[in-house]
Amino acid sequence: MSRPQIIASTGGKGGAGKTVFSILFCRELARMGKKVVLIDADLGTPNVHTKLGLKSKGQKRTLQRALAQPENLSSSLIEVESIGTRNVEGGRFSVLSSLGDSNLRSFGNWDDQGQQQFYNQFKAILDQFSQLDSSTSCDVVVIDTRAGIDGNVCDFCMMADDRVVITGEEDTLRADALSLLKMLHFYDRDEDKHNPDRVTANWIVANKAEDEGMGQSVCKSLVSDLERWASIRKDISEIVTSRLPRYLGWIPEIEIPGDEGTLLEARDTIAEASIRQLAENLCCKNDGDDPRQQFLSDLTG
Ligand SMILES: Nc1ncnc2c1ncn2[C@@H]1O[C@H](COP(=O)(O)OP(=O)(O)OP(=O)(O)O)[C@@H](O)[C@H]1O
Ligand SMILES: [Mg+2]
């Protein structure tokens, strides 16, 4: 089996919309016929299952089980059934969540060795996605990160092929997204191996935007802030400017009925269309128009 595309949903600021994006993005991919797995990597406060209304009590299909038995990965995945009538044959949306797992909740307090062991096991899970047979295989893995601009968030980001930075019009959202983008240029858990010149495909999604125009202007402003910073940092300015994040799309403010477990019940055709568009752009194009291929060929010259 081929390796799935791995995408991190991130953004720095709490409440930016990372989890809403992750869920709706995965649903749209499944509706397009993709097999997609969403991993809730917000270990301290996981809430993908809450937003999906999944049963957590007594749940045996958990991230913890997958970490212990990566070879039995498919038995740790929970399939989300209510993805809607538009899903074409073959589409599947599954979740890997640390729900009901008190041990992982304290992950932030584990020592370096414990955290390193966790990341090694987590990478083994990602590798295992390439080994699944055709009935359980997977095209796209989305890692929903927690809020923060720190090593933990960057560690998950670094495991991904693409990072989608969820931001918005508010200054604080853009400021945190900017800090995260800067940190991604420097960070490596193993500092000896740090290579600032590696390929980093970063994408911007403007959440709660009024329209495409606002989405693009949020992205433009973030990119020019990053360029300004790069122009002062002479040591890395060339790398940063050759790897600027790109605009991926926008999401409108959605009317979400109720508090919990109802995200998939929200009916918003504009949101669904805009998320579908960005999902197609990131995961479905194989021709010369593919922004991802274009991005990578720009980098390699
Ligand atoms: N496009 C949107 N339209 C309407 N409400 C939204 C939208 N995006 C996010 N929200 C709401 O904003 C709140 C935060 O969203 P979400 O949980 O996705 O953010 P997050 O970035 O994952 O937060 P955290 O950092 O806590 O993980 C939720 O109440 C969610 O319903
Ligand atoms: Mg979240």
Side-chain angles (χ1 to χ4, degrees), residues 77-126:
L77 301 174
I78 305 172
E79 191 163 341
V80 180
E81 278 157 17
S82 53
I83 54 177
T85 49
R86 280 199 288 128
N87 62 305
V88 300
E89 202 173 329
R92 193 193 316 120
F93 175 8
S94 308
V95 171
L96 188 53
S97 167
S98 59
L99 70 184
D101 188 339
S102 53
N103 186 29
L104 281 177
R105 296 279 196 283
S106 59
F107 176 78
N109 299 327
W110 295 6
D111 62 17
D112 266 2
Q113 205 185 348
Q115 292 197 353
Q116 185 60 57
Q117 194 182 351
F118 168 86
Y119 289 120
N120 292 342
Q121 289 174 316
F122 192 90
K123 280 186 191 146
I125 293 178
L126 295 181

Side-chain angles (χ1 to χ4, degrees), residues 139-165:
D139 304 308
V140 181
V141 175
V142 175
I143 304 174
D144 182 34
T145 71
R146 68 161 168 75
I149 302 145
D150 57 23
N152 173 250
V153 171
C154 288
D155 277 318
F156 285 118
C157 286
M158 290 307 183
M159 292 184 210
D161 304 306
D162 298 274
R163 285 155 284 275
V164 177
V165 175

Side-chain angles (χ1 to χ4, degrees), residues 232-301:
I232 305 165
R233 292 293 313 250
K234 300 281 179 223
D235 52 333
I236 52 162
S237 61
E238 208 177 307
I239 292 166
V240 176
T241 46
S242 68
R243 267 136 237 247
L244 290 170
R246 296 212 168 169
Y247 175 68
L248 185 63
W250 64 288
I251 304 174
E253 175 110 36
I254 306 164
E255 208 170 305
I256 300 169
D259 289 335
E260 308 222 314
T262 51
L263 182 56
L264 295 185
E265 283 165 28
R267 295 279 163 268
D268 186 320
T269 48
I270 297 177
E272 287 175 30
S274 54
I275 294 167
R276 188 179 183 91
Q277 183 65 57
L278 64 84
E280 272 175 5
N281 286 344
L282 193 54
C283 304
C284 296
K285 291 195 176 163
N286 289 315
D287 53 30
D289 294 337
D290 178 355
R292 192 162 175 272
Q293 289 310 322
Q294 186 61 46
F295 185 98
L296 296 173
S297 67
D298 286 356
L299 293 183
T300 50

Side-chain angles (χ1 to χ4, degrees), residues 35-49:
K35 294 172 179 53
V36 50
V37 173
L38 171 55
I39 306 182
D40 192 343
D42 188 342
L43 303 175
T45 50
N47 64 354
V48 167
H49 60 290

Side-chain angles (χ1 to χ4, degrees), residues 65-239:
R65 184 203 260 189
L67 290 165
Q69 305 170 15
E71 66 287 357
N72 289 328
L73 180 55
S74 51
S75 69
S76 301
L77 301 174
I78 305 172
E79 191 163 341
V80 180
E81 278 157 17
S82 53
I83 54 177
T85 49
R86 280 199 288 128
N87 62 305
V88 300
E89 202 173 329
R92 193 193 316 120
F93 175 8
S94 308
V95 171
L96 188 53
S97 167
S98 59
L99 70 184
D101 188 339
S102 53
N103 186 29
L104 281 177
R105 296 279 196 283
S106 59
F107 176 78
N109 299 327
W110 295 6
D111 62 17
D112 266 2
Q113 205 185 348
Q115 292 197 353
Q116 185 60 57
Q117 194 182 351
F118 168 86
Y119 289 120
N120 292 342
Q121 289 174 316
F122 192 90
K123 280 186 191 146
I125 293 178
L126 295 181
D127 289 342
Q128 197 62 33
F129 279 112
S130 319
Q131 311 296 328
L132 298 175
D133 64 36
S134 56
S135 64
T136 51
S137 67
C138 162
D139 304 308
V140 181
V141 175
V142 175
I143 304 174
D144 182 34
T145 71
R146 68 161 168 75
I149 302 145
D150 57 23
N152 173 250
V153 171
C154 288
D155 277 318
F156 285 118
C157 286
M158 290 307 183
M159 292 184 210
D161 304 306
D162 298 274
R163 285 155 284 275
V164 177
V165 175
I166 313 297
T167 185
E169 239 217 334
E170 262 176 56
D171 289 347
T172 53
L173 285 169
R174 286 210 317 277
D176 281 7
L178 179 65
S179 301
L180 180 65
L181 285 163
K182 288 178 188 171
M183 188 166 178
L184 286 170
H185 277 287
F186 287 104
Y187 182 78
D188 202 311
R189 171 161 277 269
D190 184 350
E191 284 176 13
D192 292 343
K193 285 197 201 140
H194 179 57
N195 171 16
D197 195 27
R198 75 198 130 165
V199 173
T200 59
N202 295 326
W203 305 94
I204 310 282
V205 167
N207 192 22
K208 298 189 188 173
E210 277 168 19
D211 52 27
E212 177 87 39
M214 184 191 274
Q216 288 187 358
S217 107
V218 165
C219 175
K220 221 168 158 184
S221 130
L222 189 50
V223 170
S224 40
D225 286 347
L226 196 60
E227 279 179 305
R228 206 167 307 121
W229 170 73
S231 69
I232 305 165
R233 292 293 313 250
K234 300 281 179 223
D235 52 333
I236 52 162
S237 61
E238 208 177 307
I239 292 166

Side-chain angles (χ1 to χ4, degrees), residues 25-59:
F25 178 72
C26 288
R27 175 177 67 175
E28 231 29 67
L29 285 171
R31 286 172 165 181
M32 288 153 53
K34 296 274 181 192
K35 294 172 179 53
V36 50
V37 173
L38 171 55
I39 306 182
D40 192 343
D42 188 342
L43 303 175
T45 50
N47 64 354
V48 167
H49 60 290
T50 325
K51 283 182 160 55
L52 286 171
L54 298 174
K55 175 172 124 337
S56 60
K57 199 154 181 264
Q59 182 58 255

